[in-house]
Amino acid sequence: MDALMVSRRGEVLFVETADDFPKAADNDEGSNPTVFKESAMVYPSGLPPGEIEAVQSSLRQTLHRIGLRNGIYHVEARVENSTMEYRRNLDGCFDLESKADTDRPTAEPKAVLIEINPRLPGSM
């Protein structure tokens, strides 16, 4: 997931999120198990609204804990405990779909921070 956040004096003035497609290292085929390069993204995020808010809140808290209270941030993260997952459709393309009830996590969704870039994003 990518998030663009603007904050001033600790108050988040703007936030938007986009979904990253699975990376080569995420694929079950194991085509390249060490590559996590972004291949595509979907804007806006296709996650449920409550899940987006939980992830955005988790990222805001992380930025504040490390002292980033003023600026423009492009944040990269993974979503843990999501109710959604990417699956290949009949055409071989990835679609973001709800997990089966038996696979749904019981814990709340949250963001696992990968990196913070104190700048505007390059591809949005």
Side-chain angles (χ1 to χ4, degrees):
M1 167 171 276
D2 289 1
L4 175 61
M5 305 179 88
V6 179
S7 64
R8 182 170 181 248
R9 296 184 183 138
E11 178 187 358
V12 174
L13 305 174
F14 176 82
V15 62
E16 67 180 3
T17 54
D19 300 326
D20 291 332
F21 273 60
K23 317 297 187 273
D26 293 323
N27 292 336
D28 289 336
E29 296 103 33
S31 60
N32 198 339
T34 61
V35 175
F36 284 94
K37 181 181 177 186
E38 289 185 21
S39 59
M41 69 172 60
V42 177
Y43 175 81
S45 175
L47 295 176
E51 200 163 311
I52 291 172
E53 178 53 40
V55 168
Q56 289 176 348
S57 176
S58 177
L59 291 172
R60 278 193 297 268
Q61 291 171 22
T62 299
L63 289 175
H64 290 167
R65 275 195 306 271
I66 62 175
L68 297 175
R69 303 180 61 75
N70 295 292
I72 300 170
Y73 307 102
H74 178 198
V75 181
E76 302 275 343
R78 290 279 182 140
V79 180
E80 197 171 83
N81 304 320
S82 178
T83 60
M84 307 290 284
E85 65 184 353
Y86 276 102
R87 285 192 225 130
R88 285 194 188 271
N89 63 24
L90 296 175
D91 297 328
C93 298
F94 285 107
D95 281 332
L96 190 61
E97 299 178 7
S98 292
K99 289 181 179 176
D101 288 341
T102 55
D103 294 335
R104 286 183 174 240
T106 55
E108 290 293 314
K110 67 176 184 175
V112 178
L113 183 67
I114 295 173
E115 67 183 28
I116 302 168
N117 301 291
R119 59 162 174 81
L120 291 170
S123 61
M124 290 177 75

